[in-house]
Amino acid sequence: MCFFSYFGTLVNMKNIQLLGLLLVVVGSFLPLVHVPIIGNWNYWKLDHYLAIACWILAACAVFGIVNNSAKIVRFFGVLLILLFVFTLVAVKLQSLDYFSFLPFKSWREAFAGVVKLKWGWVVEFLGAFLLVFAGNNKKENQRTQI
């Protein structure tokens, strides 16, 4: 017998979505980028506006979870994934631009390569994927009620 059908799909899916939401919020405080000499940066040190956008999207996902709307939760989960991808691209481009004073392109790429992504991104993406894929299946109990 399936675990979800035994304990009730709606409650467990809601808990998984809440876990994903918690991972997204906690992940914004975890180290996401390591810059030599300066140290680790989280979402708030990377860019305040992106961090605020992340929290607003997470708050909108809470609205969908509370109202049992899987479409809203999936929509904001996808938006969070797109925000994280945008942030990763922006970090790489910004690190290349930061070393633009160097005369050779190979030097710029070498110095930009010292900016490393950290393990916090795994938590962020895992939380967003849980929001997207943990929607309820509209498969309700097939028993006939008298």
Side-chain angles (χ1 to χ4, degrees), residues 96-113:
L96 281 172
D97 190 44
Y98 186 73
F99 294 105
S100 63
F101 64 90
L102 295 172
F104 301 111
K105 186 176 181 179
S106 62
W107 288 6
R108 281 183 285 209
E109 291 172 358
F111 278 102

Side-chain angles (χ1 to χ4, degrees), residues 9-64:
T9 55
L10 182 62
V11 174
N12 287 323
M13 291 302 164
K14 198 178 224 185
N15 289 340
I16 292 171
Q17 290 172 340
L18 287 172
L19 175 67
L21 184 72
L22 181 70
L23 288 175
V24 167
V25 171
V26 168
S28 67
F29 294 107
L30 296 176
L32 300 175
V33 176
H34 177 76
V35 180
I37 299 173
I38 296 173
N40 293 328
W41 285 1
N42 58 17
Y43 232 134
W44 294 97
K45 288 183 182 177
L46 281 174
D47 188 30
H48 293 293
Y49 297 113
L50 289 176
I52 290 169
C54 175
W55 276 50
I56 288 172
L57 292 175
C60 293
V62 167
F63 176 75

Side-chain angles (χ1 to χ4, degrees), residues 123-139:
V123 176
E124 291 279 7
F125 277 105
L126 178 65
F129 281 122
L130 282 176
L131 286 174
V132 172
F133 294 117
N136 56 352
N137 291 336
K138 298 288 183 191
K139 192 187 278 187

